[in-house]
Amino acid sequence: MNEHYLTGIGMTSQRTRNRLVQRLRDAGIINEEVLNVIATTPRHLFIDEALAHRAYEDNALPIGNGQTISQPYTVARMTESLLAGGPLSRVLEIGTGSGYQTAILSPLVKTLYSVERIEPLHIKAVERLETLGYGNVHLALSDGSWGWPEHGPYDGILAAAAPEDVPPSLLEQLADGGRMVLPVGGEEQKLILITRRGDHFTRKTLEAAKFVPFLPGIQR
Ligand code: SAH
């Protein structure tokens, strides 16, 4: 590890990251805690070195296996919406991917559980998040359609892939008063926020979205 590994240099430097944060502010992100975590998280370490110079653009980028690291704006928006109900203790993420959204959520919640269905991505995320010292994160290779019932109920659930409709297991594993943010739909997707009060679920549309599809089963 050289001295610039975490802090970055040139296109991965703090100045470049601050420009990204300004873009997110301009796009309407207001939660200072979220913006601060984005400013201090080395996104260039969550993608291939060949793409590192583009890490602090506000874009999704390929991470292999046909998947993408989420766009910073989307990560910020989803995280902010999840946190808007107050502090979160147990959170479930579906679609670890590179682990970037996981890294943003980790310092903002007590315990974070995250599942990924593609084995090579899961293995890389485990190595990366361990190396970077994210101690409150638990990762599993699993189909998120079933949630992660052993650790539920969760007061926050976030999915980074779009199902046609919300898997019933995820609704069941949402705690009373909990919040779930996820994209739904096929060609036309929208990002929605679901809140639970007892057995009543309220859905609110946040904005139009474009995510990879939520797929069943494990891919080795
Ligand atoms: N937030 C991640 C986004 C990765 S893209 C990042 O910033 O890197 C979404 C991920 O969801 C992909 O890795 C895809 O494999 C995964 N995914 C899709 N359907 C899934 C399912 N049913 N269970 C678990 N992961 C799933």
Side-chain angles (χ1 to χ4, degrees), residues 43 46-47 61 63-71 75 78 93-102 114-118 121-122 128 140-146 158-162 167 211-219:
R43 188 170 185 253
F46 291 80
I47 53 179
L61 294 166
I63 54 171
N65 296 86
Q67 306 304 317
T68 54
I69 183 171
S70 303
Q71 182 184 352
V75 169
M78 291 177 84
E93 177 190 32
I94 315 294
T96 319
S98 67
Y100 178 65
Q101 168 80 71
T102 321
S114 180
V115 300
E116 169 57 54
R117 63 177 288 277
I118 301 180
L121 294 179
H122 164 72
R128 190 175 275 143
L141 175 67
S142 172
D143 174 357
S145 316
W146 311 111
L158 178 154
F211 282 78
V212 297
F214 193 109
L215 297 172
I218 303 287
Q219 184 183 317

Side-chain angles (χ1 to χ4, degrees), residues 4-207:
H4 299 299
Y5 178 72
L6 284 172
T7 54
I9 189 168
M11 290 306 281
T12 62
S13 68
Q14 193 56 55
R15 262 179 76 174
T16 312
R17 296 182 202 183
N18 293 347
R19 272 200 295 273
L20 169 63
V21 167
Q22 188 55 49
R23 273 190 75 114
L24 300 181
R25 278 187 205 283
D26 294 344
I29 304 300
I30 53 170
N31 184 315
E32 289 298 328
E33 278 188 310
V34 173
L35 290 166
N36 185 46
V37 176
I38 289 185
T40 52
T41 301
R43 188 170 185 253
H44 63 284
L45 301 181
F46 291 80
I47 53 179
D48 198 89
E49 229 172 299
L51 288 171
H53 65 289
R54 299 189 52 198
Y56 300 96
E57 292 173 8
D58 188 21
N59 285 319
L61 294 166
I63 54 171
N65 296 86
Q67 306 304 317
T68 54
I69 183 171
S70 303
Q71 182 184 352
Y73 168 76
T74 309
V75 169
R77 181 84 163 106
M78 291 177 84
T79 308
E80 186 173 81
S81 308
L82 209 60
L83 288 169
L88 296 170
S89 167
R90 305 169 84 74
V91 174
L92 174 67
E93 177 190 32
I94 315 294
T96 319
S98 67
Y100 178 65
Q101 168 80 71
T102 321
I104 299 298
L105 272 171
S106 160
L108 298 168
V109 307
K110 190 150 173 273
T111 314
L112 179 55
Y113 299 89
S114 180
V115 300
E116 169 57 54
R117 63 177 288 277
I118 301 180
E119 189 170 40
L121 294 179
H122 164 72
I123 291 171
K124 267 192 264 178
V126 168
E127 285 171 3
R128 190 175 275 143
L129 292 166
E130 257 178 39
T131 305
L132 294 171
Y134 290 93
N136 64 341
V137 171
H138 304 275
L139 302 175
L141 175 67
S142 172
D143 174 357
S145 316
W146 311 111
W148 196 343
E150 291 83 346
H151 302 293
Y154 302 96
D155 43 20
I157 299 180
L158 178 154
E164 289 284 346
D165 202 3
V166 188
S169 306
L170 298 186
L171 293 172
E172 281 162 24
Q173 287 165 41
L174 192 62
D176 192 6
R179 297 161 81 84
M180 170 157 36
V181 182
L182 82 171
V184 287
E187 283 290 293
E188 295 275 303
Q189 296 175 7
K190 54 192 183 178
L191 191 60
I192 62 168
L193 168 69
I194 298 176
T195 44
R196 179 174 195 168
R197 293 268 168 244
D199 283 331
H200 189 73
F201 296 87
T202 312
R203 290 185 185 216
K204 180 180 161 201
T205 299
L206 300 178
E207 57 193 49

